[in-house]
Amino acid sequence: MQDDNPAEASVPRAVFSVNDIPARERYEVWKESISCIFDVDADVETRREDFFAAVDASMFGPIMLARSTSRGQRWRRSSSTIARDGMDHYMIQLYETGGQTLNAGRIEVEQPVGGLLVYDLSRTVAARSGTFTNLSLIIPRGLLAEALVAPDDRHMQTLPATGPMVAMLRDHMLSLTRLSPRMTAAQAAALVPATVALTAACLNTSGPDGPATGNGVAFVSMLAARRLIDSRLSDENLTPDWLARRLGMSRAKLYRMFEPVGGIAQYIRDRRLRRAMLELRDEPTRHLPIYEIALRAGFSSETTFGRAFRQRYGVTPRDVRYRGAPARHGASDDGPDRRYEEWLHHLAV
């Protein structure tokens, strides 16, 4: 008999697997399902020879923890994928078996053996993996970003296994996975603040390429500039000249500071487009006219906005607005349990 007391409800869990699907259909079912977060591709031999894939996902309040296993393949989050799904989460991955290599532009990083690797799901990335089992901790940006130093600089951050904070977060992820079947939903939700705090402490203090190891003055200046930009995105007069004056620095210094991220003008435009993309999909703002969303993002006209949006994401604002809500997949007797797809798209603080 099911307990009606919400405090005694079990941790929500969804187990997707292609094992019961005819062998010739398994890869295509997997490809469609995992497209909720990645576009994947695999060699013909991989698709045909005993292909397997599974995702075992649990919800800890607004946080998802999922163990995935599959054959080797190629993974991609493109600009159009990001615009299509609108996800704005951090994903911290532990590879229990196998490994992966990530690429973004000219940057390439390897999954540290026994360590962790961070994805910013609002950023583009391509990856390739061998046959693997991994554990993914997925946290909405709104829950974690304020606790991070340089929250926009975490994409592809590697956290080596030798770090004590990395070991603590890795063990915490493994413990949650092991103990979740015995937890109530209320107990799981109570662990959210501790999980977020531990994740932030780990990211802030670990990794040879972390912001804490950089030049302190330059880092503080960059952080101040980014916060000022984000606070004035709706102001069409936000320009590099205005920003340099407000920050009390020369234009040359401002340009040098933003050169590693594509330049100051590109950075401002990308932040404006990202805000607009999220507002086109988020329930509180998706009803607004597109021209109003364009103005709120600092564009002078809907035409200018539409052109920049398509150049950045490969789709139009209307494509994002009217694509509609994702199909709702649940557990059924005639197919795999695909609830994890909807959970990914509706993580919220």
Side-chain angles (χ1 to χ4, degrees), residues 197-247:
L198 179 57
T199 302
C202 179
L203 270 60
N204 285 337
T205 62
S206 304
D209 54 354
T213 62
N215 179 278
V217 175
F219 168 69
V220 171
S221 297
M222 174 67 89
L223 186 61
R226 289 181 170 184
R227 285 177 173 170
L228 184 55
I229 290 169
D230 281 348
S231 72
R232 301 296 291 263
L233 287 176
S234 61
D235 185 353
E236 63 180 76
N237 295 315
L238 173 63
T239 64
D241 285 344
W242 178 89
L243 194 61
R245 289 195 301 271
R246 284 295 300 267
L247 293 169

Side-chain angles (χ1 to χ4, degrees), residues 220-282:
V220 171
S221 297
M222 174 67 89
L223 186 61
R226 289 181 170 184
R227 285 177 173 170
L228 184 55
I229 290 169
D230 281 348
S231 72
R232 301 296 291 263
L233 287 176
S234 61
D235 185 353
E236 63 180 76
N237 295 315
L238 173 63
T239 64
D241 285 344
W242 178 89
L243 194 61
R245 289 195 301 271
R246 284 295 300 267
L247 293 169
M249 65 175 62
S250 67
R251 290 179 63 221
K253 181 178 179 180
L254 180 70
Y255 277 76
R256 284 196 303 271
M257 189 165 64
F258 278 87
E259 187 176 358
V261 292
I264 178 62
Q266 182 68 40
Y267 179 82
I268 292 173
R269 191 181 78 151
D270 284 349
R271 295 300 289 178
R272 284 173 161 165
L273 290 170
R274 177 177 171 274
R275 170 178 286 186
M277 186 267 290
L278 293 174
E279 290 194 342
L280 286 164
R281 296 187 58 92
D282 288 352

Side-chain angles (χ1 to χ4, degrees), residues 23 26 47 59 61 73 113 131 136 140 159 161 169 271 278 281:
R26 289 178 182 175
R47 302 181 190 201
M59 290 297 298
Q73 54 205 281
V113 177
T131 298
S136 300
L159 308 173
L169 180 55
R271 295 300 289 178
L278 293 174
R281 296 187 58 92

Side-chain angles (χ1 to χ4, degrees), residues 89-337:
H89 314 322
Y90 296 100
M91 180 169 71
I92 298 91
Q93 278 196 339
L94 164 68
Y95 265 64
E96 299 176 276
T97 64
Q100 66 172 335
T101 302
L102 271 63
N103 295 273
R106 291 174 292 179
I107 301 172
E108 180 173 291
V109 300
E110 297 282 342
Q111 177 78 35
V113 177
L116 304 172
L117 194 148
V118 183
Y119 283 81
D120 181 336
L121 294 179
S122 72
R123 305 273 296 278
T124 60
V125 68
R128 59 185 184 275
S129 66
T131 298
F132 69 92
T133 298
N134 68 26
L135 199 58
S136 300
L137 177 65
I138 304 170
I139 305 177
R141 182 181 299 272
L143 202 61
L144 181 60
E146 289 188 0
L148 292 178
V149 177
D152 296 323
D153 293 335
R154 299 299 172 174
H155 191 43
M156 297 171 59
Q157 180 182 1
T158 56
L159 308 173
T162 52
M165 296 299 293
V166 177
M168 289 180 67
L169 180 55
R170 180 187 64 222
D171 291 348
H172 182 66
M173 292 167 62
L174 291 167
S175 294
L176 289 179
T177 302
R178 185 178 70 254
L179 297 174
S180 60
R182 295 161 50 191
M183 288 184 189
T184 65
Q187 290 170 335
L191 287 170
V192 169
T195 301
V196 172
L198 179 57
T199 302
C202 179
L203 270 60
N204 285 337
T205 62
S206 304
D209 54 354
T213 62
N215 179 278
V217 175
F219 168 69
V220 171
S221 297
M222 174 67 89
L223 186 61
R226 289 181 170 184
R227 285 177 173 170
L228 184 55
I229 290 169
D230 281 348
S231 72
R232 301 296 291 263
L233 287 176
S234 61
D235 185 353
E236 63 180 76
N237 295 315
L238 173 63
T239 64
D241 285 344
W242 178 89
L243 194 61
R245 289 195 301 271
R246 284 295 300 267
L247 293 169
M249 65 175 62
S250 67
R251 290 179 63 221
K253 181 178 179 180
L254 180 70
Y255 277 76
R256 284 196 303 271
M257 189 165 64
F258 278 87
E259 187 176 358
V261 292
I264 178 62
Q266 182 68 40
Y267 179 82
I268 292 173
R269 191 181 78 151
D270 284 349
R271 295 300 289 178
R272 284 173 161 165
L273 290 170
R274 177 177 171 274
R275 170 178 286 186
M277 186 267 290
L278 293 174
E279 290 194 342
L280 286 164
R281 296 187 58 92
D282 288 352
E283 284 300 327
T285 52
R286 63 178 299 159
H287 67 283
L288 296 175
I290 289 178
Y291 75 84
E292 184 171 340
I293 287 179
L295 294 177
R296 287 161 61 96
F299 289 87
S300 58
S301 72
E302 184 175 343
T303 301
T304 303
F305 166 63
R307 187 182 304 117
F309 192 94
R310 181 158 192 161
Q311 182 180 6
R312 173 67 177 84
Y313 292 113
V315 293
T316 69
R318 281 181 169 75
D319 288 336
V320 175
R321 162 66 56 79
Y322 298 114
R323 196 178 296 273
R328 293 177 176 266
H329 299 291
S332 66
D333 294 332
D334 57 355
D337 183 351

